[in-house]
Amino acid sequence: MITVPADPSPYEFEPARTALVCIDFQRDFVEPGGFGETLGNDVSSLRSAIAPTERVLDAARQLRLTVIHTREGHRPDLADLFPAKRDRGAPTLRIGDEGPMGRILTRGSRGHDIVPELYPAAGEVVLDKPCKGAFYATDLETILRARGVTHLVLTGVTTEVCVQTTAREANDRGFDCLVLADCTGSYFPQFHRAALQMISAQGGIVGWVADSAALLDAIRIGGRA
Ligand code: C5J
């Protein structure tokens, strides 16, 4: 058992029952010319999450945790894209339009793929999802239950959208989630802070929050990596 000092209380996990989930570390969100930028965001604000997540991913691989990488995006025929999502806002390019990294948020394009620093290794699960939550319209729950996973360590972008939505979906399904604050990022610093507070408030109503250093130290003390 590994115990991580966390907010609001220590988070305990058994590596064999734990998955690291890396949410939407796609060029479309963290590089210029992608979906995030078409919505008017400064995408450079998300890049700080990449280096700490690289260290956590390395430790997770040494510990042999299940590793899941999610990618938000749509079928090339856009049959899974609700008008409510496509028509929202006033972006410079809409989902499916041709951009500098290929079609915006569309499976198979360069922008849809994961950044090289966090690229999935052979044998790791890559999960394509059409919406914010990683459980909605995917087989994530089946994959986790088949492996006996009960605990999730969450990283990814953006904190208050896909990470928070996934944490809530996971909590409702009975998974214990630790969100790593410095391994998540938002275009809006105030939303990042608020989302993390919403997760750990009220005695951990959605889950636990810690920094990656706390997790990595706990793993080292446990003598596991
Ligand atoms: C958004 C995400 N922000 N991955 N997606 O649309 O958070």
Side-chain angles (χ1 to χ4, degrees):
M1 187 72 80
I2 294 175
T3 305
V4 185
D7 190 23
S9 60
Y11 176 82
E12 297 193 324
F13 71 96
E14 194 61 60
R17 296 190 157 274
T18 303
L20 171 68
V21 187
C22 300
I23 298 175
D24 301 356
F25 278 111
Q26 297 160 258
R27 291 195 181 90
D28 255 320
F29 292 106
V30 305
E31 288 188 7
F35 181 62
E37 196 176 72
T38 69
L39 292 168
N41 298 305
D42 170 10
V43 295
S44 65
S45 57
L46 298 192
R47 296 203 63 90
S48 63
I50 294 176
T53 305
E54 225 180 325
R55 293 191 282 275
V56 170
L57 185 55
D58 187 47
R61 285 171 177 158
Q62 289 184 49
L63 268 182
R64 299 186 178 283
L65 299 194
T66 288
V67 178
I68 311 267
H69 303 264
T70 73
R71 299 187 298 198
E72 180 179 348
H74 296 276
R75 294 161 46 108
D77 64 5
L78 305 183
D80 57 354
L81 176 58
F82 294 126
K85 182 175 180 183
R86 185 192 61 220
D87 299 339
R88 192 67 54 78
T92 51
L93 293 171
R94 291 202 185 270
I95 296 170
D97 288 351
E98 199 62 47
M101 295 190 288
R103 295 179 67 199
I104 298 289
L105 219 61
T106 305
R107 294 178 192 159
S109 74
R110 182 175 151 74
H112 178 263
D113 209 357
I114 294 170
V115 294
E117 297 92 322
L118 301 174
Y119 211 74
E124 293 175 354
V125 176
V126 178
L127 189 95
D128 284 321
K129 63 185 181 69
C131 294
K132 275 84 178 167
F135 287 87
Y136 177 73
T138 73
D139 47 14
L140 178 57
E141 185 169 0
T142 308
I143 292 168
L144 297 174
R145 302 250 186 250
R147 293 172 181 226
V149 169
T150 54
H151 287 59
L152 304 180
V153 176
L154 300 183
T155 65
V157 295
T158 63
T159 321
E160 78 280 12
V161 184
C162 291
V163 175
Q164 182 172 209
T165 304
T166 299
R168 290 177 183 278
E169 287 183 329
N171 177 249
D172 279 347
R173 287 166 174 77
F175 294 94
D176 281 336
C177 295
L178 173 66
V179 180
L180 295 179
D182 56 330
C183 297
T184 62
S186 169
Y187 304 119
F188 307 94
Q190 71 275 28
F191 293 169
H192 173 77
R193 284 192 298 273
L196 296 172
Q197 285 167 1
M198 282 183 232
I199 287 165
S200 64
Q202 303 180 73
I205 194 152
V206 175
W208 288 257
V209 175
D211 274 324
S212 60
L215 172 67
L216 296 174
D217 283 351
I219 291 171
R220 264 182 234 114
I221 291 163
R224 311 289 272 272

